[in-house]
Amino acid sequence: MSGLINGAGSRSGVIGTTELDYEEGEWTPAWTSTSATPSVVSMLGNYTRIGNICNFGCTLYTNGMSGTLTNAAYVTGLPFTSSANARDSAVVITTTFQVYFLSGRTFFGGEAVASDTKLFICQLGDDLLNTSITPAQLADTQCIFQVAGWYKIG
């Protein structure tokens, strides 16, 4: 990293005295729930940390879900513990193949769980209220969930 970023100096030590933490890497996401089990084929994740912000992405390949999802679904294994305020995050989720949304819900979303290394995954609609994902929505077909976002490190 070089140059100025809001008065912060470069890693070279030439400009300024403040250095931002910078790190890139891979992480292994996992899909968890207390009551349903997804049939996960593979999971891949990467991240970039700049200061106290972690930008991340991951892809989860599933072959449906068994059980009854009565509680929240999570993606676990984030590379750093999030801040105590879960609103210090933004998560976007896209899917491929067949996913059935509940009435009034049009997309998946989520947020970092406060002071943890997991993401809460839900479906959202125009009213911005969240609803848990159900196994029937995955229609017992292969789905690819692509998750991207950022969160503040605690």
Side-chain angles (χ1 to χ4, degrees):
M1 179 167 64
S2 63
L4 289 176
I5 301 174
N6 292 333
S10 71
R11 286 272 184 207
S12 67
V14 175
I15 303 171
T17 58
T18 303
E19 293 184 3
L20 295 175
D21 288 328
Y22 181 88
E23 180 180 336
E24 293 180 353
E26 295 179 352
W27 61 288
T28 303
W31 182 291
T32 63
S33 169
T34 56
S35 58
T37 305
S39 174
V40 177
V41 176
S42 67
M43 300 163 286
L44 311 164
N46 57 50
Y47 70 91
T48 302
R49 174 187 181 166
I50 302 173
N52 66 348
I53 300 296
C54 180
N55 296 289
F56 66 91
C58 70
T59 303
L60 301 124
Y61 298 88
T62 67
N63 277 327
M65 187 180 291
S66 63
T68 302
L69 186 55
T70 57
N71 295 312
Y74 298 95
V75 172
T76 62
L78 289 172
F80 305 99
T81 301
S82 65
S83 74
N85 184 354
R87 301 291 182 204
D88 289 341
S89 64
V91 179
V92 175
I93 302 168
T94 61
T95 64
T96 59
F97 298 101
Q98 194 169 10
V99 177
Y100 298 102
F101 288 100
L102 297 179
S103 177
R105 304 295 179 246
T106 55
F107 61 96
F108 287 118
E111 65 185 16
V113 176
S115 303
D116 209 328
T117 57
K118 63 185 177 185
L119 302 171
F120 168 65
I121 304 300
C122 60
Q123 51 189 324
L124 299 164
D126 293 338
D127 58 7
L128 297 180
L129 297 175
N130 62 58
T131 306
S132 293
I133 301 167
T134 66
Q137 288 177 273
L138 299 181
D140 295 323
T141 61
Q142 183 183 41
C143 288
I144 300 173
F145 290 88
Q146 295 176 311
V147 181
W150 65 269
Y151 66 97
K152 188 174 179 181
I153 298 169

